[in-house]
Amino acid sequence: MDLNNIKRVYFIGIGGIGMSAIARFFNEKGVHVSGYDRTETALTRQLAEEGMQIHYTDDVQLLDQEAELVVYTPAIPGSHSELIWFRQQGYEVVKRSDVLQEITRNLYAITVGGTHGKTTTSTLIAHILRHTGYGCNAFLGGISANYDRNFWSSNKQVAVIEADEYDRSFLKLHPDVAVLTAIDADHLDIYGTEEEVQEAFIQYTRNIKANGTLVAKRGLHRADELKGDHHIWYHLDDNKADIHATNIQPTEGGYMFDVVQKDWKLANIYLPVGGTHNIENTVAAIAVAHLLGIEDEKIKAAIADFKGIKRRFEYLVKNDYQVYIDDYAHHPEELRALISSARALFPDRKCIVLFQPHLYTRTRDFADGFAESLSLADEVLLLPIYPARELPIEGVHSEMIAKKISKPVQVIQKEDVLAWVKANSAPLFITAGAGDIDQFREPVQEILNGKGIIDNEEVKKDA
């Protein structure tokens, strides 16, 4: 696959977060980019505004017959008629991971893998490299709030890549620096067992290039089996790690802290993003930046300017009367980190979580874990399961989680959500999930901002 001479590329599933980054890569190089996706979204509208041709009907009459390369996401079913047509006609049809492997073959690759934390960590690293002038090409799994993009290019022959474990696609990458944030059971519909998940991440570290570095969280399962000629172990606050945070102080919805490494210290770091897990992600990013020789003060300035990632502990409303946080959390550990961090930052506010379970298999496999994490809230609203690529499984539904939650809980339909928000007080409101729960972001934000204005006026009248 020679990417240098390709003039036309067609994407099946172009609106996916990983697919769209690669589509933007080609588009910026002047390649004709077109594709299909199931539904129009804010991201696909952005791609269209950037000049890409996109349609939303699986129809072979609409595809690009002149395409020299066809890229598809593994989330697309094998029965997709456009995918079948291209294969039957003998086109070069590859997964996005194959393209990413080829793009990064000759670059200094910094990859970030893990069952959670990888989007924030990879975006932080890429932001630091961009902000400080070091430079990098970034292929991210989320939309950077600083740049409103999940991809950017640079003349610097360095790439920061979010390494997605779904479908084992991250095993095609061969990093110079590999970050590993977590090895928790997930995607059991793909891997089958937790042991197979762990094996895949061990293989991820085996792919590190000679004289390369593994930057891994201290305390991971089977840590003694992880590879890499050089190791840096990081942690939130474990002083036995090679690098960790200390003197952590919440401030204005973010944190001040120091980072300590042997014979080196970076003091008075300000992270304007909530969530103690994001401090740990920042420690990993700082470890990489320091490894690359970036100056201390430039690192601090970049972190202070970090605005986060859309749908990663994202403040949509934050004032004296109301806090509304939206997050992509769809695994029990991610929910635990999200809810516990929000409660620590706003301890006096009643916390209500609206959660949309993602996938029938994940709900079935982790119902107990979801219930335990959601019970950290004061009240829980559960939407029906978002099926994504799956067909329903008999007996698997949101009630599986609801009956195990120890706090007030109700299963609510999508059409009833906005009426509930209008009728109820939620001083700390969180929406979480990886499905289409993001459709509620703007309308909920508008409702809660309106409530804040009303509350403010009532306070003034009472005064």
Side-chain angles (χ1 to χ4, degrees):
M1 178 170 45
D2 181 7
L3 302 182
N4 294 321
N5 298 314
I6 290 176
K7 303 299 182 186
R8 302 178 77 94
V9 181
Y10 188 82
F11 288 83
I12 304 178
I14 194 170
I17 194 69
M19 291 280 280
S20 59
I22 299 172
R24 281 171 156 159
F25 164 82
F26 281 111
N27 194 57
E28 285 195 9
K29 289 187 173 297
V31 175
H32 181 277
V33 177
S34 59
Y36 156 88
D37 209 280
R38 185 173 60 180
T39 55
E40 184 181 36
T41 64
L43 180 53
T44 60
R45 287 192 290 272
Q46 278 188 334
L47 300 180
E49 289 169 4
E50 292 166 23
M52 304 180 214
Q53 297 175 5
I54 303 172
H55 62 270
Y56 304 95
T57 304
D58 178 13
D59 185 349
V60 296
Q61 301 300 316
L62 300 176
L63 54 76
D64 181 11
Q65 295 188 18
E66 298 179 37
E68 300 165 68
L69 179 68
V70 178
V71 185
Y72 74 99
T73 170
I76 291 290
S79 59
H80 193 274
S81 62
E82 293 187 11
L83 181 61
I84 291 171
W85 187 89
F86 278 118
R87 283 174 167 163
Q88 289 178 341
Q89 300 302 314
Y91 285 74
E92 185 172 15
V93 180
V94 299
K95 292 182 180 180
R96 63 181 171 87
S97 55
D98 296 311
V99 180
L100 196 55
Q101 178 186 32
E102 190 64 28
I103 290 171
T104 59
R105 185 181 299 279
N106 298 314
L107 298 177
Y108 185 90
I110 302 165
T111 65
V112 183
T115 42
H116 25 263
K118 57 183 176 287
T119 300
T120 300
T121 305
S122 56
T123 306
L124 260 166
I125 294 170
H127 166 71
I128 292 171
L129 269 55
R130 177 169 173 166
H131 189 279
T132 60
Y134 185 92
C136 72
N137 297 272
F139 297 85
L140 307 173
I143 303 298
S144 164
N146 285 79
Y147 314 108
D148 198 29
R149 291 179 69 81
N150 57 340
F151 165 79
W152 57 81
S153 60
S154 168
N155 292 328
K156 188 88 168 187
Q157 295 300 293
V158 173
V160 178
I161 307 150
E162 179 169 334
D164 184 7
E165 73 275 8
Y166 175 69
D167 198 42
R168 293 182 169 86
S169 61
F170 69 148
L171 298 181
K172 293 178 180 175
L173 301 172
H174 293 269
D176 296 271
V177 178
V179 180
L180 183 52
T181 62
I183 311 180
D184 291 318
D186 198 7
H187 298 301
L188 297 184
D189 56 322
I190 300 295
Y191 291 96
T193 66
E194 183 174 3
E195 290 72 23
E196 282 299 310
V197 175
Q198 295 168 358
E199 285 292 338
F201 281 106
I202 292 168
Q203 180 60 52
Y204 165 68
T205 67
R206 290 194 189 110
N207 289 347
I208 298 172
K209 295 174 188 172
N211 203 36
T213 302
L214 171 66
V215 180
K217 179 176 175 177
R218 175 178 164 79
L220 294 178
H221 295 299
R222 300 172 67 178
D224 58 339
E225 298 179 58
L226 302 177
K227 304 301 181 182
D229 289 346
H230 307 283
H231 286 191
I232 298 173
W233 301 101
Y234 74 91
H235 199 272
L236 172 63
D237 53 9
D238 186 345
N239 59 18
K240 294 181 181 178
D242 296 320
I243 183 168
H244 65 279
T246 187
N247 299 326
I248 299 170
Q249 298 293 329
T251 174
E252 299 179 355
Y255 305 93
M256 292 290 298
F257 57 96
D258 303 335
V259 164
V260 178
Q261 195 173 18
K262 183 180 180 181
D263 302 325
W264 179 74
K265 180 178 180 179
L266 193 60
N268 299 318
I269 300 162
Y270 173 56
L271 175 67
V273 176
T276 52
H277 54 291
N278 285 324
I279 301 175
E280 187 168 72
N281 295 332
T282 304
V283 173
I286 289 172
V288 173
H290 185 58
L291 179 68
L292 297 176
I294 298 176
E295 298 172 24
D296 292 3
E297 291 305 313
K298 287 185 177 180
I299 295 173
K300 286 173 57 177
I303 294 169
D305 189 51
F306 183 60
K307 296 180 173 63
I309 302 101
K310 292 185 178 181
R311 304 218 63 227
R312 300 305 195 280
F313 211 99
E314 183 181 6
Y315 290 113
L316 295 179
V317 178
K318 188 173 72 168
N319 56 47
D320 291 342
Y321 317 98
Q322 183 72 57
V323 173
Y324 170 30
I325 299 168
D326 180 51
D327 198 278
Y328 191 70
H330 57 285
H331 184 279
E333 283 302 304
E334 294 167 349
L335 277 174
R336 181 196 58 77
L338 167 66
I339 298 169
S340 60
S341 293
R343 300 214 65 160
L345 285 167
F346 306 100
D348 299 326
R349 294 174 182 255
K350 180 181 180 181
C351 176
I352 300 177
V353 176
L354 172 66
F355 175 60
Q356 182 185 47
H358 185 261
L359 298 177
Y360 292 99
T361 52
R362 186 179 282 127
T363 303
R364 177 197 64 198
D365 295 336
F366 302 113
D368 289 344
F370 281 125
E372 183 178 347
S373 295
L374 289 166
S375 294
L376 295 171
D378 293 306
E379 188 174 337
V380 179
L381 307 172
L382 286 175
L383 286 168
I385 296 170
Y386 184 79
R389 56 189 177 268
E390 293 183 339
L391 294 174
I393 298 174
E394 186 176 354
V396 178
H397 38 66
S398 293
E399 285 78 3
M400 283 184 68
I401 300 173
K403 67 183 182 181
K404 299 173 184 288
I405 292 175
S406 62
K407 300 293 179 60
V409 57
Q410 63 173 300
V411 176
I412 188 171
Q413 300 302 310
K414 289 180 185 177
E415 57 268 26
D416 298 324
V417 167
L418 297 183
W420 187 96
V421 174
K422 290 176 182 177
N424 291 272
S425 174
L428 173 56
F429 189 63
I430 299 172
T431 48
D436 60 359
I437 190 171
D438 59 342
Q439 69 181 281
F440 294 113
R441 287 164 48 94
E442 291 185 11
V444 169
Q445 183 180 25
E446 291 174 2
I447 292 169
L448 295 182
N449 270 328
K451 281 187 176 180
I453 295 169
I454 294 169
D455 290 345
N456 193 14
E457 290 302 317
E458 288 176 351
V459 169
K460 288 179 181 178
K461 288 176 183 176
D462 291 342

